[in-house]
Amino acid sequence: MNCEEYRKAIAAEPSFDGGAAHLSECAGCQAYRKEMQELDRSIGRALSLDVPELVLPELPDIDNVTTLPKRRRPALTFLALAATVVLAAFVGFRMIDTGGEYGSLGEELLAHIDHERGALVVTDVPVSDDLLAQVVPTSIARLDQNTGLFTYARTCPVNGKTVPHLVMQGERGPVTIILMPDEKISGPETVEGESVRGVILPVGDGSIAIFGEREEALDNIERKILDSVSWST
């Protein structure tokens, strides 16, 4: 289960308890699950308000008077409608936040990296060879695993496609690498964020994005990645 699949499941049912293996290793999804469950509790509290029973006035004792049906409790109906609107708006916002419209590919990549900040951890613990092979199967690309210390590997949605999202340890800190075999660009694109900078490089019919801290020497990493990745198609 990847991030997109897990978040769709937890948004549809906040009590969803599947995907434990993914959740234990993904800080971004842990935060998303917490938000959705807190929203669910807030809606539950709103719907549990004690609304007084509507009491109709006594009707005069007149023959052949039709008994009126008991009216619905309007206050509770309104709260239910309001809660539904809030939930729909929140879910819609989160869906836009993780996969909506952006002005450019660079903007979407910056937003994605910011959303997955739990991946940017300084560590000397590598991901397993099996996980790396699962995220970057030979059907997508061939990756030389001796390129560097890969400490994060997941598949994530970028521009409507599920692509490999990797993190390797650089000289100054974690460096994000996103492989996009079907995202063709005309030439190199430099991207600047608040605290990070990066480049999107054309590679055959696809492209590779590399982002690091501003002090990171990305040139060396660019050469290593370009030499170690080749598309399978």
Side-chain angles (χ1 to χ4, degrees):
M1 177 171 284
N2 58 37
C3 294
E4 182 180 19
E5 293 170 340
Y6 182 82
R7 290 173 189 177
K8 284 182 179 179
I10 200 73
E13 178 50 65
S15 62
F16 174 69
D17 59 359
H22 172 76
L23 187 65
S24 65
E25 299 179 354
C26 183
C29 285
Q30 292 173 17
Y32 184 80
R33 177 176 182 266
K34 183 178 180 181
E35 291 176 7
M36 292 303 298
Q37 291 185 335
E38 178 58 33
L39 177 66
D40 187 56
R41 287 191 290 269
S42 298
I43 292 173
R45 289 193 293 269
L47 294 177
S48 64
L49 291 177
D50 186 14
V51 179
E53 183 75 19
L54 181 63
V55 179
L56 293 175
E58 293 186 5
L59 295 174
D61 188 13
I62 302 175
D63 293 338
N64 300 322
V65 173
T66 302
T67 302
L68 294 175
K70 191 175 181 180
R71 295 177 59 189
R72 297 173 64 186
R73 292 184 284 184
L76 184 58
T77 303
F78 174 77
L79 284 173
L81 177 60
T84 301
V85 171
V86 170
L87 178 60
F90 181 83
V91 172
F93 171 77
R94 297 299 299 184
M95 293 299 288
I96 291 173
D97 182 50
T98 58
E101 295 295 330
Y102 297 90
S104 66
L105 177 60
E107 287 182 9
E108 180 174 356
L109 290 170
L110 285 174
H112 181 76
I113 292 170
D114 184 65
H115 185 69
E116 299 287 341
R117 293 202 67 81
L120 302 177
V121 177
V122 177
T123 177
D124 59 358
V125 179
V127 299
S128 67
D129 291 344
D130 289 343
L131 177 58
L132 197 57
Q134 179 182 348
V135 173
V136 191
T138 55
S139 60
I140 293 179
R142 291 174 175 81
L143 172 66
D144 183 355
Q145 299 184 20
N146 297 318
T147 301
L149 178 61
F150 289 101
T151 57
Y152 181 88
R154 293 290 183 275
T155 54
C156 296
V158 173
N159 198 21
K161 305 177 184 70
T162 300
V163 299
H165 175 171
L166 310 173
V167 172
M168 66 181 294
Q169 298 298 309
E171 295 180 359
R172 298 285 184 174
V175 175
T176 298
I177 300 155
I178 299 180
L179 308 181
M180 300 175 287
D182 300 317
E183 198 71 47
K184 190 172 185 177
I185 60 175
S186 58
E189 300 177 11
T190 301
V191 183
E192 296 284 342
E194 291 185 3
S195 60
V196 300
R197 63 185 181 89
V199 62
I200 310 173
L201 302 170
V203 180
D205 291 331
S207 55
I208 297 176
I210 303 172
F211 286 83
E213 298 295 329
R214 290 188 176 275
E215 297 79 13
E216 186 71 50
L218 293 180
D219 291 347
N220 294 334
I221 296 178
E222 289 175 21
R223 286 193 292 271
K224 289 181 180 179
I225 294 299
L226 291 178
D227 289 342
S228 66
V229 175
S230 58
W231 305 133
S232 298
T233 56

